[in-house]
């Protein structure tokens, strides 16, 4: 596990990491603004949606469902199912958030896909300041791109024709390779997730296929946990002594670990 930098250095590192994601988010948001306007959303609703939802996959699911004639309930349900991936992601990062319930809920708003992956230190620990920095630069880029798409209303297929729609997947693949390289235990879930995504995409749209691929993370439940570091002989007694304070328990452990070498008569005064 790599050591976390100072809060300021971590935040700046997050800004640097998030800048590439922000560029991809901006271009994708332009497409979202253009498509939503062409579907009759008006000029204000797409921007408010991007400000509040801030999830490309969920927002495009809304567009796809409404554009195909689905109702509001179906569109919201589709978006909610895709965003259900944030439940395990939030559980994973919860131990590194700070403060009471309100503050932790506020800090949890920084959990977005790219930031979450970039902030992982390994061993299930996260750099919260890097997480904040990476998200802080992506959110305004997403909102600004949506606003530009609404105002300019370019051809919704422009990004696809220019090949710019591969930027976001390419960045996520880079983050995935970095994660797999850092910890070997992640290789099996990553491989299984890729196989599930490829297989499900034959029968399902991209969003549900990715949600199904997240089931690969469940293999972590069946992986043997790392063995705890060896402890001095007698330390178990210190941990298991009920009712003793920390100092007394430590003293008992040391006394149990030390074996007398000489009798009292042989010890020189």
């Amino acid at each position: 596990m790599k050591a976390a930098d100072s809060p300021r250095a971590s935040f700046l590192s997050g800004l640097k990491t998030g800048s590439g994601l922000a560029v991809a988010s901006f271009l994708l948001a332009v497409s979202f603004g253009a498509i939503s306007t062409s579907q009759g959303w008006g000029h204000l609703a797409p921007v408010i949606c991007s400000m509040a939802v801030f999830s490309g996959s969920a927002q495009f699911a809304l567009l796809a469902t409404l554009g195909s004639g689905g109702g509001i309930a179906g569109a919201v349900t589709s978006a909610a199912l895709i965003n259900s991936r944030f439940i395990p992601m939030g559980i994973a990062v919860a131990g590194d958030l700070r403060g009471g319930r309100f503050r932790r809920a506020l800090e949890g708003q920084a959990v977005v896909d790219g930031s979450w992956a970039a902030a992982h230190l390994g061993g299930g620990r996260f750099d919260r300041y890097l997480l904040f920095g990476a998200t802080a630069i992506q959110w305004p880029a997403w909102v600004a791109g949506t606003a530009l798409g609404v105002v300019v209303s370019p051809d919704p297929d422009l990004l696809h024709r220019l090949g710019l729609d591969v930027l976001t997947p390419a960045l996520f693949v880079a983050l995935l390779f970095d994660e797999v390289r850092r910890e070997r235990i992640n290789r099996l879930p990553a491989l299984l997730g890729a196989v599930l995504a490829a297989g499900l995409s034959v029968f399902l749209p991209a969003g549900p296929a990715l949600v199904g691929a997240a089931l690969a993370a469940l293999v972590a439940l069946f992986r043997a946990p790392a063995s705890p570091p060896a402890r001095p002989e007698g330390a178990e007694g210190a941990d298991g002594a009920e009712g003793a304070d920390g100092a007394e328990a430590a003293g008992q452990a040391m006394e149990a670990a030390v074996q007398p070498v000489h009798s009292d008569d042989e010890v020189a005064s």
Side-chain angles (χ1 to χ4, degrees):
M1 181 189 304
K2 67 179 182 181
D5 297 326
S6 67
R8 182 175 183 274
S10 293
F11 187 82
L12 293 177
S13 178
L15 290 177
K16 181 179 179 181
T17 301
S19 60
L21 296 169
V23 172
S25 297
F26 178 84
L27 294 173
L28 192 61
V30 172
S31 179
F32 171 76
I35 297 174
S36 58
T37 302
S38 67
Q39 289 188 2
W41 283 37
H43 292 79
L44 189 59
V47 178
I48 294 178
C49 181
S50 287
M51 294 175 65
V53 180
F54 185 32
S55 173
S57 56
Q59 291 177 228
F60 277 101
L62 285 172
L63 288 177
T65 305
L66 294 175
S68 61
I72 296 293
V76 172
T77 300
S78 177
L81 287 174
I82 290 178
N83 272 1
S84 64
R85 69 189 186 279
F86 289 117
I87 296 176
M89 291 168 63
I91 293 174
V93 78
D96 294 290
L97 303 181
R98 298 292 182 267
R101 291 182 179 180
F102 178 78
R103 177 178 173 181
R104 291 164 67 86
L106 186 62
E107 291 187 356
Q109 301 307 305
V111 177
V112 294
D113 298 305
S115 302
W116 183 87
H120 188 214
L121 297 171
R125 303 294 295 176
F126 291 82
D127 187 333
R128 57 196 287 266
Y129 289 102
L130 193 151
L131 177 75
F132 299 157
T135 300
I137 194 172
Q138 291 181 73
W139 184 81
W142 179 255
V143 176
T146 303
L148 181 62
V150 168
V151 174
V152 178
S153 296
D155 185 347
D157 294 330
L158 179 61
L159 294 180
H160 178 70
R161 289 202 302 268
L162 295 177
L164 299 178
D165 53 343
V166 302
L167 285 178
T168 300
L171 288 171
F172 280 118
V173 169
L175 290 172
L176 176 63
F177 275 116
D178 181 67
E179 183 71 16
V180 171
R181 178 184 56 82
R182 185 188 303 137
E183 290 190 293
R184 297 184 62 180
I185 195 174
N186 295 325
R187 294 179 182 178
L188 178 59
L191 178 61
L192 183 57
V195 172
L196 284 174
L200 291 175
S201 62
V202 177
F203 308 99
L204 300 173
L210 291 177
V211 173
L215 295 174
L218 296 177
V219 301
L221 297 176
F222 304 99
R223 305 296 291 273
S227 300
R231 297 191 296 178
E233 182 182 354
E236 293 82 355
D239 289 341
E242 298 180 359
D245 58 22
E248 292 175 347
Q252 293 172 2
M254 293 184 64
E255 291 175 2
V258 176
Q259 303 295 329
V261 178
H262 305 285
S263 64
D264 292 340
D265 295 336
E266 294 174 336
V267 177
S269 59

